[in-house]
Amino acid sequence: MSTRLRTRASVAAGRLTAWFSRASGLGRGGVIGGRVTLRLDPKALRRLGRERTVVIVTGTNGKTTTSLMLTRALEALAEVAHNGDGANMPDGLVAALAARPDAPYAVLEVDETYVPWVAEQVRPAALVLLNLSRDQLDRVGEVRMMERDLRAAFAGLSRTVVVANCDDVLVTSAASAAARPVWVGTGRRWSGDSVSCPRCGGAITHTDREWRCAMCAFARPEPAWTLDGDLVTTPGGRRVDLDLRLPGDANRANAALALAAAHCVGVPPHTAAARLRTITDIGGRYRTVRRTRHSVRLMLAKNPAGWAETLRVLDEDTPVVVAVNAHEADGRDLSWLWDVHFERLRGRQVVVAGERSADLAVRLCYAEVPHWSAPDPVSAIDTLPPGGVELVANYTAFRDLVDRLPNV
């Protein structure tokens, strides 16, 4: 059997498996379909990515948001294959490419642990590295080990433009190995995982927007793109107003990186920014839904850095439901709860929910945050007085809520 025929047959088998999965109510089908395709043709990802312009988006937080932004931007040029369902491991990537075999562009959100292998397979035109911070220790491992793996991978991508957040010390260390780095200054505030230099172990000192190692020459590079409030300054000195419909500094940082990556692929910054303004939610995130007497805004947070940004955008006068699970996709190790500054919730009405609500309740007790428990997140909403509710959930808790609540 020729290689092309083998790939076609494996894709057809994967699509059939995905259809059976959806028809039987077992799942959405994308992951299992991609898994079957890869089992029948281990080189399917390489073959499906061939003759496309591929952009990879990776990092601890913001992958889904930034990849959607990039997809919207690149759709100004032509059709784009995109794993918009968030299935960011090889199975999901194969399924996304197989679903749009004729799309000349592809934007792939990739779990950071798989980036070295995926990049070797598809040889992307551009790769966006958003941030690196502690995440699921039981699956991802120690963040500095991840930085070293990415640094080694980037050194082998001689033709790939690596668009990187130079305000993240670990991102800068990894992307410095790239032959074609493009630095973006986002003013990122999370620095809890980079107090020491990843090169020599010296202390990292911060002054305004600058940072440097106290012992070696490692320091923040001069960015070609900079974010200041809602304005992004391009390498040519032009200023682009983002005016996003998504809240928070983290989303503005994601947008700045998306603009830089889109420009590398041929989309003018003002064109890309106009298309980013059409995005109002990311798979249900930030969307407001009605639940009988309540107006509920849904938000996702998965690790300390993500929670830090989410807690900043919560309305100060609105009750909060916090839902936490610990499935494999969430990470079964919940020690990260102790790294989240839940003290910011003091003075609010707070309900803890989710399968691991008891763990969360203990953490809030130590944070001196009064609360009550209602393990089912939807029932937790109903325990609050009529009006607005902020609901923050980690991955599987959020996914379940999107399926259960109306109008999402």
Side-chain angles (χ1 to χ4, degrees):
M1 182 183 293
S2 70
T3 57
R4 180 171 296 182
L5 184 58
R6 179 177 183 178
T7 301
R8 287 180 178 175
S10 66
V11 167
R15 285 177 172 171
L16 183 61
T17 304
W19 179 85
F20 274 121
S21 178
R22 290 191 297 270
S24 59
L26 295 175
R28 299 176 183 176
V31 171
I32 188 62
R35 188 168 301 168
V36 168
T37 299
L38 275 175
R39 182 63 62 89
L40 296 174
D41 181 6
K43 295 183 179 180
L45 183 60
R46 175 174 296 180
R47 291 167 181 155
L48 289 169
R50 189 178 297 161
E51 298 179 1
R52 304 187 201 234
T53 299
V54 178
V55 181
I56 287 175
V57 178
T58 194
T60 309
N61 293 301
K63 294 186 290 292
T64 301
T65 300
T66 308
S67 62
L68 175 59
M69 290 175 169
L70 260 172
T71 298
R72 288 284 176 89
L74 266 59
E75 284 173 344
L77 302 177
E79 185 181 6
V80 181
H82 173 221
N83 54 332
D85 59 357
N88 57 23
M89 298 182 190
D91 306 331
L93 307 182
V94 167
L97 293 176
R100 296 206 168 178
D102 298 323
Y105 293 91
V107 175
L108 300 178
E109 169 192 338
V110 181
D111 182 280
E112 53 269 35
T113 58
Y114 289 95
V115 166
W117 183 80
V118 172
E120 196 279 329
Q121 298 296 306
V122 302
R123 291 289 163 175
L127 189 152
V128 183
L129 182 56
L130 301 167
N131 46 67
L132 289 173
S133 64
R134 73 195 81 161
D135 198 12
Q136 302 170 16
L137 292 177
D138 53 333
R139 185 181 68 80
V140 177
E142 202 274 328
V143 65
R144 289 177 179 250
M145 179 180 68
M146 179 62 59
E147 182 273 321
R148 290 191 294 271
D149 290 345
L150 290 174
R151 193 193 316 171
F154 294 163
L157 299 175
S158 59
R159 298 184 178 181
T160 300
V161 175
V162 176
V163 179
N165 175 8
C166 66
D167 287 310
D168 186 306
V169 174
L170 295 178
V171 163
T172 302
S173 180
S176 293
R180 303 174 64 192
V182 172
W183 301 112
V184 182
T186 66
R188 185 172 181 270
R189 291 175 290 190
W190 178 264
S191 58
D193 297 291
S194 52
V195 295
S196 62
C197 177
R199 301 301 181 91
C200 75
I204 295 291
T205 60
H206 295 262
T207 57
D208 296 328
R209 280 202 164 191
E210 304 297 319
W211 58 260
R212 64 177 54 255
C213 174
M215 293 180 60
C216 72
F218 185 55
R220 179 183 185 264
E222 185 66 28
W225 299 71
T226 57
L227 172 66
D228 186 7
D230 275 328
L231 296 175
V232 176
T233 303
T234 73
R238 298 181 66 187
R239 306 189 84 184
V240 180
D241 191 350
L242 293 175
D243 193 24
L244 298 180
R245 299 177 69 185
L246 300 175
D249 292 337
N251 282 319
R252 286 187 281 272
N254 294 336
L257 288 149
L259 287 189
H263 181 260
C264 292
V265 184
V267 182
H270 282 88
T271 300
R275 299 185 71 87
L276 267 54
R277 294 183 197 115
T278 66
I279 301 172
T280 58
D281 69 270
I282 313 293
R285 303 176 206 182
Y286 312 111
R287 185 175 293 183
T288 299
V289 300
R290 292 295 306 177
R291 165 74 182 170
T292 59
R293 304 172 302 157
H294 299 95
S295 175
V296 185
R297 184 167 68 149
L298 302 176
M299 282 174 282
L300 172 70
K302 300 180 289 186
N303 48 52
W307 277 92
E309 293 295 338
T310 300
L311 291 173
R312 289 189 183 103
V313 301
L314 295 181
D315 185 88
E316 293 183 359
D317 300 319
T318 303
V320 181
V321 175
V322 183
V324 172
N325 289 350
H327 295 188
E328 182 178 358
D330 305 300
R332 300 190 186 278
D333 177 5
L334 287 181
S335 60
W336 58 266
L337 286 173
W338 298 90
D339 296 328
V340 177
H341 192 56
F342 284 114
E343 288 77 4
R344 294 179 68 97
L345 295 178
R346 290 173 184 167
R348 305 169 184 259
Q349 290 179 300
V350 178
V351 189
V352 297
E355 296 172 1
R356 299 298 289 272
S357 58
D359 299 77
L360 181 58
V362 171
R363 172 67 186 96
L364 292 188
C365 285
Y366 278 88
E368 299 180 353
V369 176
H371 62 276
W372 65 91
S373 297
D376 177 61
V378 175
S379 298
I381 297 168
D382 298 335
T383 68
L384 289 164
V389 176
E390 303 273 41
L391 199 159
V392 189
N394 71 342
Y395 183 72
T396 64
F398 182 88
R399 183 187 62 194
D400 294 344
L401 282 163
V402 167
D403 291 338
R404 293 176 61 191
L405 289 173
N407 304 317
V408 178

